[in-house]
Coordinates of all heavy atoms in Angstrom, one line a residue:
S1 N 0.8 -1.2 0.0 CA 0.0 0.0 0.0 C 0.9 1.3 0.0 O 0.5 2.2 -0.7 CB -0.9 0.0 1.2 OG -1.8 -1.0 1.2
I2 N 2.0 1.2 0.8 CA 2.8 2.4 0.9 C 3.5 2.7 -0.5 O 3.5 3.8 -0.9 CB 3.9 2.2 1.9 CG1 3.2 2.0 3.3 CG2 4.9 3.3 2.0 CD1 4.1 1.6 4.4
A3 N 4.0 1.6 -1.1 CA 4.8 1.8 -2.4 C 3.7 2.2 -3.5 O 4.1 3.0 -4.3 CB 5.5 0.5 -2.8
S4 N 2.6 1.5 -3.6 CA 1.7 1.8 -4.7 C 1.1 3.2 -4.6 O 0.8 3.8 -5.7 CB 0.6 0.7 -4.9 OG -0.2 0.7 -3.7
A5 N 1.0 3.7 -3.5 CA 0.5 5.1 -3.3 C 1.6 6.1 -3.3 O 1.3 7.3 -3.3 CB -0.3 5.2 -2.0
D6 N 2.9 5.6 -3.3 CA 4.0 6.5 -3.2 C 3.9 7.5 -2.1 O 3.9 8.8 -2.4 CB 4.2 7.2 -4.6 CG 5.7 7.8 -4.7 OD1 6.6 7.3 -3.9 OD2 5.8 8.8 -5.4
M7 N 3.6 7.1 -0.9 CA 3.3 8.0 0.2 C 4.3 8.9 0.6 O 5.5 8.5 0.6 CB 2.8 7.1 1.3 CG 1.6 6.3 1.2 SD 1.2 5.5 2.7 CE -0.2 4.6 2.2
D8 N 4.0 10.2 0.9 CA 5.0 11.1 1.4 C 5.1 10.8 2.9 O 4.4 10.0 3.4 CB 4.7 12.5 1.1 CG 3.3 13.0 1.7 OD1 2.8 12.4 2.7 OD2 2.8 14.0 1.2
L9 N 5.9 11.6 3.6 CA 6.1 11.3 5.0 C 4.9 11.5 5.9 O 4.7 10.7 6.8 CB 7.2 12.1 5.6 CG 8.6 11.8 4.9 CD1 9.7 12.8 5.5 CD2 9.0 10.4 5.0
N10 N 4.0 12.5 5.6 CA 2.8 12.6 6.4 C 1.8 11.5 6.1 O 1.2 11.1 7.1 CB 2.1 14.0 6.0 CG 3.0 15.2 6.4 OD1 3.7 15.1 7.4 ND2 2.9 16.3 5.7
Q11 N 1.6 11.1 4.9 CA 0.7 10.0 4.6 C 1.3 8.8 5.2 O 0.5 7.9 5.7 CB 0.7 9.8 3.1 CG 0.0 10.9 2.3 CD 0.1 10.8 0.9 OE1 1.1 10.4 0.3 NE2 -1.0 11.2 0.1
L12 N 2.6 8.5 5.2 CA 3.2 7.3 5.8 C 2.9 7.3 7.3 O 2.5 6.2 7.8 CB 4.7 7.3 5.5 CG 5.4 6.2 6.1 CD1 5.1 4.8 5.6 CD2 7.0 6.4 6.1
E13 N 3.1 8.4 7.9 CA 2.9 8.4 9.3 C 1.4 8.2 9.7 O 1.1 7.4 10.6 CB 3.2 9.9 9.9 CG 3.1 9.9 11.4 CD 3.6 11.3 11.9 OE1 4.4 12.0 11.3 OE2 3.0 11.7 13.0
A14 N 0.5 8.7 9.0 CA -0.9 8.5 9.2 C -1.3 7.0 9.0 O -2.0 6.4 9.7 CB -1.8 9.4 8.4
F15 N -0.8 6.4 7.9 CA -1.0 5.0 7.5 C -0.5 4.1 8.6 O -1.2 3.1 9.1 CB -0.4 4.7 6.2 CG -0.5 3.3 5.8 CD1 -1.7 2.9 5.3 CD2 0.5 2.4 5.9 CE1 -1.9 1.5 4.9 CE2 0.4 1.1 5.5 CZ -0.8 0.6 5.0
L16 N 0.7 4.3 9.1 CA 1.4 3.5 10.0 C 0.7 3.6 11.4 O 0.5 2.6 12.1 CB 2.9 3.8 10.2 CG 3.7 3.4 8.9 CD1 5.1 3.7 9.1 CD2 3.6 1.8 8.7
T17 N 0.2 4.8 11.7 CA -0.5 5.0 13.0 C -1.8 4.2 13.0 O -2.2 3.6 14.0 CB -0.8 6.5 13.2 OG1 0.5 7.2 13.3 CG2 -1.6 6.7 14.5
A18 N -2.5 4.2 11.8 CA -3.7 3.5 11.7 C -3.4 2.0 11.8 O -4.3 1.2 12.4 CB -4.4 3.8 10.4
Q19 N -2.3 1.5 11.2 CA -2.0 0.1 11.2 C -1.6 -0.4 12.7 O -1.9 -1.5 12.9 CB -0.8 -0.2 10.3 CG -1.1 0.0 8.9 CD -2.2 -0.9 8.4 OE1 -2.3 -2.0 8.6 NE2 -3.2 -0.3 7.7
T20 N -1.1 0.5 13.5 CA -0.7 0.1 14.9 C -2.0 0.1 15.8 O -2.1 -0.7 16.7 CB 0.3 1.1 15.6 OG1 -0.2 2.4 15.5 CG2 1.6 1.0 14.8
K21 N -3.0 0.9 15.4 CA -4.2 0.9 16.2 C -5.2 -0.2 15.9 O -6.1 -0.5 16.7 CB -4.8 2.3 16.1 CG -4.1 3.4 16.7 CD -4.8 4.7 16.6 CE -3.9 5.8 17.3 NZ -4.5 7.1 17.1
K22 N -5.1 -0.8 14.7 CA -6.1 -1.8 14.4 C -5.7 -3.2 15.0 O -4.6 -3.4 15.2 CB -6.3 -1.9 12.9 CG -5.4 -2.6 12.0 CD -5.8 -2.5 10.6 CE -5.3 -3.6 9.8 NZ -5.6 -3.4 8.3
Q23 N -6.7 -3.9 15.3 CA -6.6 -5.2 15.9 C -5.8 -6.1 15.0 O -6.2 -6.3 13.8 CB -7.9 -5.8 16.3 CG -7.8 -7.1 17.2 CD -9.2 -7.6 17.6 OE1 -10.2 -6.9 17.5 NE2 -9.1 -8.8 18.2
G24 N -4.7 -6.8 15.5 CA -3.9 -7.7 14.7 C -2.9 -6.9 13.8 O -2.4 -7.5 12.9
G25 N -2.8 -5.6 14.0 CA -1.9 -4.8 13.2 C -0.5 -4.9 13.7 O -0.1 -5.8 14.3
I26 N 0.2 -3.9 13.3 CA 1.8 -4.0 13.5 C 2.0 -3.3 14.9 O 1.2 -2.5 15.4 CB 2.5 -3.3 12.4 CG1 2.1 -1.8 12.3 CG2 2.4 -4.1 11.2 CD1 3.0 -1.1 11.2
T27 N 3.2 -3.5 15.4 CA 3.6 -2.8 16.7 C 4.3 -1.5 16.3 O 4.5 -1.2 15.2 CB 4.6 -3.7 17.5 OG1 5.8 -3.7 16.8 CG2 4.1 -5.1 17.8
S28 N 4.4 -0.6 17.4 CA 5.0 0.7 17.1 C 6.5 0.6 16.7 O 7.0 1.3 15.9 CB 4.9 1.6 18.3 OG 5.5 1.0 19.4
D29 N 7.2 -0.5 17.2 CA 8.5 -0.7 16.8 C 8.6 -1.1 15.3 O 9.5 -0.7 14.6 CB 9.2 -1.9 17.6 CG 9.5 -1.4 19.1 OD1 9.5 -0.2 19.2 OD2 9.5 -2.3 19.9
Q30 N 7.7 -2.0 14.9 CA 7.6 -2.4 13.5 C 7.3 -1.2 12.6 O 7.9 -1.0 11.5 CB 6.6 -3.5 13.3 CG 6.9 -4.8 13.8 CD 5.8 -5.8 13.8 OE1 4.6 -5.4 13.9 NE2 6.1 -7.1 13.7
A31 N 6.4 -0.3 13.0 CA 6.1 0.9 12.3 C 7.3 1.8 12.2 O 7.5 2.4 11.1 CB 4.9 1.7 13.0
A32 N 8.1 1.8 13.2 CA 9.3 2.7 13.2 C 10.4 2.2 12.2 O 10.9 2.9 11.3 CB 9.9 2.8 14.5
V33 N 10.4 0.8 12.1 CA 11.4 0.2 11.2 C 10.8 0.4 9.7 O 11.6 0.7 8.8 CB 11.5 -1.3 11.5 CG1 12.3 -2.0 10.4 CG2 12.3 -1.4 12.8
I34 N 9.5 0.2 9.4 CA 9.0 0.4 8.2 C 9.2 1.8 7.8 O 9.6 2.2 6.5 CB 7.6 0.0 8.1 CG1 7.3 -1.5 8.3 CG2 6.8 0.5 6.8 CD1 6.0 -2.0 8.6
A35 N 8.9 2.8 8.6 CA 9.1 4.2 8.3 C 10.5 4.6 7.9 O 10.8 5.3 6.9 CB 8.6 5.1 9.4
K36 N 11.4 4.0 8.7 CA 12.9 4.3 8.4 C 13.2 3.7 7.1 O 14.0 4.3 6.2 CB 13.8 3.8 9.5 CG 15.2 4.1 9.4 CD 16.0 3.6 10.5 CE 17.6 3.9 10.3 NZ 18.3 3.5 11.4
F37 N 12.8 2.5 6.8 CA 13.1 1.8 5.5 C 12.5 2.6 4.4 O 13.2 2.8 3.4 CB 12.6 0.4 5.6 CG 12.8 -0.4 4.3 CD1 14.1 -1.0 4.1 CD2 12.0 -0.4 3.3 CE1 14.5 -1.7 3.0 CE2 12.3 -1.2 2.1 CZ 13.5 -1.8 2.0
W38 N 11.3 3.0 4.5 CA 10.6 3.8 3.4 C 11.3 5.1 3.2 O 11.6 5.5 2.0 CB 9.2 4.0 3.7 CG 8.5 4.7 2.7 CD1 7.9 6.0 2.8 CD2 8.2 4.3 1.3 NE1 7.4 6.4 1.6 CE2 7.5 5.4 0.6 CE3 8.5 3.1 0.6 CZ2 7.1 5.2 -0.7 CZ3 8.0 3.0 -0.7 CH2 7.3 4.1 -1.3
K39 N 11.7 5.8 4.2 CA 12.5 7.1 4.1 C 13.8 6.9 3.4 O 14.1 7.7 2.5 CB 12.8 7.7 5.4 CG 11.5 8.3 6.1 CD 11.8 8.8 7.5 CE 10.5 9.1 8.2 NZ 10.7 9.5 9.7
N40 N 14.5 5.8 3.6 CA 15.8 5.6 3.0 C 15.7 5.0 1.6 O 16.7 5.2 0.8 CB 16.7 4.6 3.9 CG 17.1 5.3 5.2 OD1 17.2 6.5 5.3 ND2 17.2 4.4 6.2
H41 N 14.6 4.3 1.2 CA 14.6 3.6 0.0 C 13.4 4.0 -0.9 O 13.2 3.2 -1.9 CB 14.6 2.0 0.2 CG 15.8 1.6 1.0 ND1 17.0 1.4 0.3 CD2 15.9 1.2 2.2 CE1 17.8 1.0 1.3 NE2 17.3 0.8 2.4
R42 N 12.7 5.0 -0.6 CA 11.5 5.4 -1.3 C 11.8 5.6 -2.8 O 11.0 5.0 -3.7 CB 11.0 6.7 -0.7 CG 9.7 7.2 -1.5 CD 9.2 8.5 -0.9 NE 8.1 9.0 -1.8 CZ 7.6 10.2 -1.6 NH1 8.0 11.0 -0.7 NH2 6.6 10.5 -2.3
T43 N 12.8 6.3 -3.2 CA 13.1 6.6 -4.6 C 13.4 5.3 -5.4 O 12.9 5.1 -6.4 CB 14.3 7.6 -4.7 OG1 14.0 8.8 -4.0 CG2 14.5 7.9 -6.2
H44 N 14.3 4.4 -4.7 CA 14.6 3.2 -5.4 C 13.4 2.3 -5.6 O 13.2 1.6 -6.6 CB 15.7 2.5 -4.6 CG 16.1 1.2 -5.1 ND1 16.9 1.1 -6.3 CD2 15.9 -0.1 -4.7 CE1 17.1 -0.1 -6.6 NE2 16.5 -0.9 -5.7
I45 N 12.6 2.2 -4.6 CA 11.3 1.3 -4.7 C 10.5 1.9 -5.8 O 9.9 1.2 -6.6 CB 10.6 1.3 -3.3 CG1 11.5 0.5 -2.3 CG2 9.2 0.6 -3.5 CD1 11.1 0.6 -0.9
H46 N 10.2 3.1 -5.8 CA 9.3 3.8 -6.8 C 9.8 3.6 -8.2 O 9.1 3.2 -9.1 CB 9.2 5.4 -6.5 CG 8.2 6.0 -7.4 ND1 6.8 5.8 -7.3 CD2 8.4 6.9 -8.4 CE1 6.2 6.5 -8.2 NE2 7.2 7.3 -8.9
E47 N 11.2 3.8 -8.4 CA 11.7 3.6 -9.8 C 11.6 2.1 -10.1 O 11.3 1.7 -11.3 CB 13.2 3.9 -9.8 CG 13.4 5.4 -9.7 CD 14.8 5.9 -9.6 OE1 15.7 5.0 -9.6 OE2 15.0 7.1 -9.5
S48 N 11.8 1.2 -9.2 CA 11.6 -0.3 -9.5 C 10.2 -0.6 -9.9 O 10.1 -1.4 -10.9 CB 12.1 -1.1 -8.2 OG 11.9 -2.5 -8.5
L49 N 9.2 -0.1 -9.2 CA 7.8 -0.3 -9.6 C 7.5 0.2 -11.0 O 6.9 -0.4 -11.8 CB 6.9 0.3 -8.6 CG 6.9 -0.4 -7.3 CD1 6.0 0.4 -6.3 CD2 6.3 -1.9 -7.4
I50 N 8.1 1.4 -11.3 CA 7.9 2.0 -12.7 C 8.5 1.1 -13.7 O 7.9 0.8 -14.8 CB 8.4 3.4 -12.8 CG1 7.5 4.2 -11.9 CG2 8.5 3.9 -14.2 CD1 8.0 5.7 -11.7
N51 N 9.7 0.6 -13.5 CA 10.4 -0.2 -14.4 C 9.7 -1.6 -14.6 O 9.7 -2.1 -15.8 CB 11.9 -0.4 -14.0 CG 12.7 0.7 -14.2 OD1 12.5 1.7 -15.0 ND2 13.8 0.9 -13.4
Q52 N 9.1 -2.1 -13.6 CA 8.4 -3.4 -13.7 C 7.1 -3.2 -14.5 O 6.6 -4.2 -15.1 CB 8.1 -3.9 -12.3 CG 9.3 -4.4 -11.6 CD 9.0 -4.8 -10.1 OE1 7.8 -5.1 -9.9 NE2 9.9 -4.8 -9.3
S53 N 6.5 -2.0 -14.5 CA 5.2 -1.8 -15.2 C 5.4 -1.4 -16.6 O 4.4 -1.3 -17.3 CB 4.4 -0.8 -14.4 OG 5.0 0.5 -14.5
R54 N 6.6 -1.1 -17.1 CA 6.8 -0.7 -18.5 C 6.8 -1.9 -19.4 O 7.1 -3.0 -19.1 CB 8.2 -0.1 -18.6 CG 8.2 1.4 -18.2 CD 9.5 2.0 -18.6 NE 9.7 3.2 -17.9 CZ 10.9 3.6 -17.5 NH1 12.0 3.0 -17.7 NH2 10.9 4.8 -16.8
W55 N 6.6 -1.6 -20.7 CA 6.8 -2.6 -21.7 C 8.3 -2.8 -21.9 O 9.1 -2.0 -21.5 CB 6.2 -2.0 -23.1 CG 4.7 -1.9 -23.1 CD1 3.9 -2.3 -22.2 CD2 4.0 -1.3 -24.1 NE1 2.6 -2.0 -22.6 CE2 2.6 -1.4 -23.7 CE3 4.3 -0.7 -25.3 CZ2 1.7 -0.8 -24.5 CZ3 3.3 -0.2 -26.1 CH2 2.0 -0.3 -25.7
D56 N 8.6 -3.9 -22.6 CA 10.0 -4.2 -22.8 C 10.7 -3.1 -23.7 O 11.8 -2.8 -23.5 CB 10.2 -5.6 -23.5 CG 10.0 -6.7 -22.5 OD1 10.1 -6.4 -21.3 OD2 9.7 -7.8 -22.9
N57 N 10.0 -2.7 -24.7 CA 10.5 -1.7 -25.6 C 10.0 -0.3 -25.3 O 8.9 -0.1 -24.7 CB 10.1 -2.0 -27.1 CG 10.7 -3.3 -27.6 OD1 11.9 -3.6 -27.2 ND2 10.0 -4.0 -28.5
G58 N 10.9 0.7 -25.6 CA 10.6 2.1 -25.4 C 10.9 2.8 -26.6 O 11.6 2.3 -27.5
L59 N 10.4 4.0 -26.7 CA 10.6 4.9 -27.9 C 12.0 5.5 -27.8 O 12.3 6.2 -26.9 CB 9.5 6.0 -27.9 CG 9.6 7.0 -29.1 CD1 9.4 6.1 -30.4 CD2 8.5 8.1 -28.9
K60 N 12.8 5.2 -28.8 CA 14.2 5.7 -28.8 C 14.3 6.9 -29.7 O 15.0 7.8 -29.4 CB 15.2 4.6 -29.4 CG 15.4 3.4 -28.5 CD 16.2 2.4 -29.1 CE 17.7 2.9 -29.2 NZ 18.6 1.9 -29.6
N61 N 13.5 7.0 -30.8 CA 13.6 8.1 -31.8 C 12.4 8.2 -32.5 O 11.6 7.2 -32.7 CB 14.8 7.9 -32.7 CG 15.1 9.1 -33.5 OD1 14.8 10.2 -33.2 ND2 15.8 8.9 -34.6
M62 N 12.0 9.5 -32.9 CA 10.8 9.6 -33.7 C 11.1 10.7 -34.7 O 11.6 11.8 -34.4 CB 9.6 10.1 -32.8 CG 8.4 10.2 -33.5 SD 7.0 10.5 -32.3 CE 6.3 11.9 -33.1
N63 N 10.7 10.5 -36.0 CA 10.7 11.5 -37.1 C 9.4 11.6 -37.6 O 8.7 10.6 -37.7 CB 11.7 11.1 -38.1 CG 13.1 11.1 -37.6 OD1 13.6 12.0 -36.9 ND2 13.8 10.0 -37.8
W64 N 9.0 12.8 -38.1 CA 7.7 13.0 -38.7 C 7.7 14.1 -39.7 O 8.6 14.9 -39.7 CB 6.6 13.3 -37.7 CG 6.8 14.5 -36.9 CD1 7.5 14.7 -35.8 CD2 6.2 15.8 -37.3 NE1 7.5 16.1 -35.5 CE2 6.6 16.8 -36.3 CE3 5.3 16.3 -38.2 CZ2 6.3 18.1 -36.4 CZ3 4.9 17.6 -38.3 CH2 5.4 18.5 -37.3
R65 N 6.8 14.1 -40.7 CA 6.7 15.1 -41.6 C 5.2 15.1 -42.2 O 4.5 14.1 -42.0 CB 7.6 15.0 -42.7 CG 7.3 13.9 -43.7 CD 8.4 13.9 -44.9 NE 7.9 13.1 -46.0 CZ 8.6 11.9 -46.4 NH1 9.7 11.6 -45.8 NH2 8.0 11.2 -47.3
V66 N 4.8 16.2 -42.7 CA 3.5 16.3 -43.3 C 3.6 16.6 -44.8 O 4.4 17.6 -45.1 CB 2.6 17.4 -42.7 CG1 1.3 17.6 -43.4 CG2 2.4 17.0 -41.2
D67 N 3.2 15.8 -45.7 CA 3.3 16.0 -47.1 C 1.9 16.5 -47.7 O 0.9 16.1 -47.1 CB 3.6 14.8 -47.9 CG 5.0 14.3 -47.6 OD1 5.8 15.1 -47.1 OD2 5.3 13.1 -47.9
L68 N 1.9 17.3 -48.7 CA 0.8 17.7 -49.5 C 0.9 17.2 -50.9 O 1.8 17.3 -51.6 CB 0.7 19.3 -49.6 CG 0.4 20.0 -48.2 CD1 0.4 21.4 -48.4 CD2 -0.9 19.5 -47.6
K69 N -0.2 16.5 -51.3 CA -0.2 16.0 -52.7 C -0.6 17.1 -53.7 O -1.5 17.9 -53.5 CB -1.4 14.9 -52.7 CG -1.1 13.7 -51.9 CD -2.2 12.7 -51.9 CE -1.9 11.5 -51.0 NZ -2.9 10.4 -51.2
S70 N 0.3 17.2 -54.7 CA 0.1 18.3 -55.6 C -0.4 17.8 -57.0 O -0.8 18.5 -57.8 CB 1.4 19.0 -55.8 OG 2.5 18.1 -56.3
Q71 N -0.3 16.5 -57.3 CA -0.8 15.9 -58.5 C -1.6 14.6 -58.3 O -1.0 13.7 -57.7 CB 0.4 15.6 -59.5 CG 1.0 16.9 -60.1 CD 2.0 16.4 -61.1 OE1 2.6 15.4 -61.1 NE2 2.3 17.3 -62.2
L72 N -2.8 14.6 -58.7 CA -3.6 13.4 -58.6 C -4.6 13.4 -59.7 O -4.8 14.4 -60.4 CB -4.3 13.4 -57.2 CG -3.5 13.1 -56.0 CD1 -4.3 13.4 -54.8 CD2 -2.9 11.7 -56.0
R73 N -5.2 12.3 -59.9 CA -6.2 12.1 -61.0 C -7.5 13.0 -60.7 O -8.1 13.5 -61.6 CB -6.7 10.7 -61.2 CG -5.6 9.8 -61.8 CD -6.2 8.5 -62.1 NE -5.2 7.5 -62.4 CZ -5.2 6.2 -62.4 NH1 -6.4 5.7 -62.0 NH2 -4.2 5.5 -62.8
H74 N -7.8 13.0 -59.4 CA -9.1 13.7 -59.1 C -8.7 14.9 -58.3 O -7.9 15.0 -57.4 CB -10.0 12.8 -58.2 CG -10.3 11.5 -58.7 ND1 -11.1 11.4 -59.9 CD2 -9.8 10.2 -58.5 CE1 -11.2 10.1 -60.2 NE2 -10.4 9.4 -59.4
I75 N -9.3 16.0 -58.8 CA -9.0 17.4 -58.3 C -9.2 17.5 -56.7 O -8.6 18.3 -56.0 CB -9.7 18.5 -59.1 CG1 -9.1 19.9 -58.8 CG2 -11.2 18.5 -58.8 CD1 -7.9 20.2 -59.6
D76 N -10.3 16.8 -56.3 CA -10.7 17.0 -54.8 C -9.6 16.4 -53.9 O -9.7 16.6 -52.7 CB -12.1 16.4 -54.6 CG -12.1 14.9 -55.0 OD1 -11.3 14.4 -55.7 OD2 -13.0 14.2 -54.3
Q77 N -8.7 15.6 -54.5 CA -7.6 15.0 -53.6 C -6.4 15.8 -53.5 O -5.5 15.5 -52.7 CB -7.3 13.6 -54.0 CG -8.5 12.6 -53.8 CD -8.1 11.2 -54.3 OE1 -7.2 11.1 -55.1 NE2 -8.9 10.2 -53.9
I78 N -6.3 16.9 -54.3 CA -5.1 17.7 -54.3 C -5.1 18.5 -52.9 O -6.1 18.9 -52.5 CB -5.0 18.6 -55.6 CG1 -4.8 17.8 -56.7 CG2 -4.0 19.7 -55.4 CD1 -4.8 18.7 -58.1
N79 N -3.9 18.8 -52.5 CA -3.6 19.5 -51.2 C -4.2 18.8 -50.0 O -4.5 19.4 -49.0 CB -4.2 21.0 -51.3 CG -3.3 21.8 -52.2 OD1 -2.2 21.6 -52.5 ND2 -4.0 22.7 -52.8
T80 N -4.4 17.5 -50.1 CA -4.8 16.7 -49.0 C -3.5 16.3 -48.2 O -2.6 15.8 -48.7 CB -5.4 15.4 -49.4 OG1 -6.5 15.7 -50.2 CG2 -5.9 14.5 -48.2
P81 N -3.4 16.8 -46.9 CA -2.2 16.5 -46.0 C -2.2 15.0 -45.7 O -3.1 14.4 -45.4 CB -2.4 17.4 -44.8 CG -3.9 17.6 -44.8 CD -4.4 17.5 -46.1
V82 N -0.9 14.6 -45.7 CA -0.6 13.1 -45.3 C 0.5 13.3 -44.3 O 1.6 13.8 -44.6 CB -0.2 12.3 -46.5 CG1 0.2 10.9 -46.0 CG2 -1.3 12.3 -47.5
A83 N 0.3 12.7 -43.1 CA 1.3 12.7 -42.1 C 2.1 11.4 -42.2 O 1.5 10.3 -42.3 CB 0.7 12.8 -40.7
I84 N 3.4 11.4 -42.1 CA 4.3 10.3 -42.2 C 5.1 10.3 -40.8 O 5.7 11.3 -40.6 CB 5.2 10.3 -43.4 CG1 4.4 10.3 -44.6 CG2 6.2 9.2 -43.3 CD1 5.2 10.5 -45.9
V85 N 4.9 9.2 -40.1 CA 5.6 9.1 -38.8 C 6.5 7.9 -38.8 O 6.1 6.8 -39.2 CB 4.5 9.0 -37.6 CG1 5.2 8.9 -36.3 CG2 3.6 10.3 -37.7
E86 N 7.7 8.1 -38.4 CA 8.7 7.0 -38.2 C 9.1 6.9 -36.8 O 9.5 7.9 -36.2 CB 9.9 7.2 -39.1 CG 11.0 6.2 -39.0 CD 12.2 6.6 -39.8 OE1 12.3 7.6 -40.4 OE2 13.2 5.8 -39.7
M87 N 8.8 5.8 -36.1 CA 9.2 5.6 -34.8 C 10.2 4.4 -34.6 O 10.0 3.4 -35.2 CB 8.0 5.3 -33.9 CG 7.0 6.5 -33.8 SD 5.6 6.1 -32.7 CE 4.5 5.2 -33.8
E88 N 11.2 4.7 -33.9 CA 12.3 3.7 -33.6 C 12.1 3.1 -32.1 O 12.1 3.9 -31.2 CB 13.7 4.2 -33.8 CG 14.7 3.2 -33.5 CD 16.1 3.8 -33.7 OE1 16.2 5.0 -34.2 OE2 17.1 3.0 -33.5
L89 N 11.8 1.8 -32.0 CA 11.7 1.2 -30.7 C 12.9 0.5 -30.3 O 13.6 0.0 -31.1 CB 10.4 0.3 -30.7 CG 9.1 0.9 -31.0 CD1 8.0 -0.1 -31.1 CD2 8.7 2.0 -30.1
G90 N 13.2 0.4 -29.0 CA 14.3 -0.4 -28.5 C 14.1 -0.7 -27.0 O 13.3 -0.1 -26.3
K91 N 14.9 -1.6 -26.6 CA 14.8 -2.1 -25.2 C 15.4 -0.9 -24.3 O 16.3 -0.2 -24.8 CB 15.6 -3.3 -24.9 CG 14.9 -4.4 -25.7 CD 15.2 -5.8 -24.9 CE 14.6 -6.9 -25.6 NZ 13.2 -7.2 -25.2
N92 N 15.0 -0.8 -23.1 CA 15.5 0.2 -22.2 C 17.0 0.0 -21.9 O 17.4 -1.1 -21.7 CB 14.8 0.1 -20.9 CG 13.3 0.6 -21.0 OD1 13.0 1.4 -21.8 ND2 12.5 0.0 -20.2
G93 N 17.8 1.0 -22.1 CA 19.2 1.0 -21.8 C 20.0 0.5 -23.0 O 21.2 0.4 -22.9
Q94 N 19.4 0.3 -24.2 CA 20.1 -0.1 -25.3 C 20.0 1.0 -26.4 O 19.1 1.7 -26.5 CB 19.6 -1.4 -25.9 CG 19.8 -2.5 -25.0 CD 19.3 -3.9 -25.6 OE1 18.6 -3.9 -26.6 NE2 19.6 -4.9 -25.0

């Protein structure tokens, strides 16, 4: 719950306090250890969750342009814009 909500210190304190007060919850010593661990490793945990939820491939490069047709058989198709998009995909870190 703490990691998925990416809790700040105030949210963390309120959450852990609630967990210590509920029946069968954690002790105050356990809450202190969890709080210290979260404070020291929050950024790493958050980045790890983001990396796990990504697709294998990511966008490495993108090129685009818009062309206008100037010659066609039918006059109503002249000056019709056409977008051309080129995307290069690759694995993260490659």
Side-chain angles (χ1 to χ4, degrees):
S1 296
I2 297 167
S4 64
D6 193 27
M7 293 184 185
D8 63 22
L9 297 180
N10 291 331
Q11 292 170 323
L12 176 66
E13 185 179 332
F15 177 77
L16 292 175
T17 300
Q19 294 301 311
T20 59
K21 291 182 179 178
K22 79 182 202 184
Q23 186 174 352
I26 61 176
T27 66
S28 58
D29 289 338
Q30 290 171 326
V33 170
I34 292 169
K36 183 176 181 181
F37 181 82
W38 180 247
K39 288 174 190 174
N40 292 332
H41 300 286
R42 176 183 179 188
T43 304
H44 180 70
I45 294 168
H46 184 69
E47 288 174 3
S48 177
L49 288 175
I50 289 172
N51 288 335
Q52 290 175 23
S53 66
R54 278 193 198 144
W55 294 351
D56 286 339
N57 290 326
L59 182 63
K60 291 177 69 174
N61 191 19
M62 184 173 129
N63 295 313
W64 64 275
R65 72 174 195 246
V66 176
D67 292 344
L68 292 175
K69 296 179 182 182
S70 60
Q71 287 186 332
L72 289 169
R73 287 187 191 164
H74 304 290
I75 193 84
D76 61 336
Q77 292 179 342
I78 293 179
N79 292 331
T80 303
V82 176
I84 299 172
V85 179
E86 176 185 359
M87 292 185 279
E88 181 182 356
L89 301 176
K91 295 209 180 271
N92 292 328
Q94 293 181 350

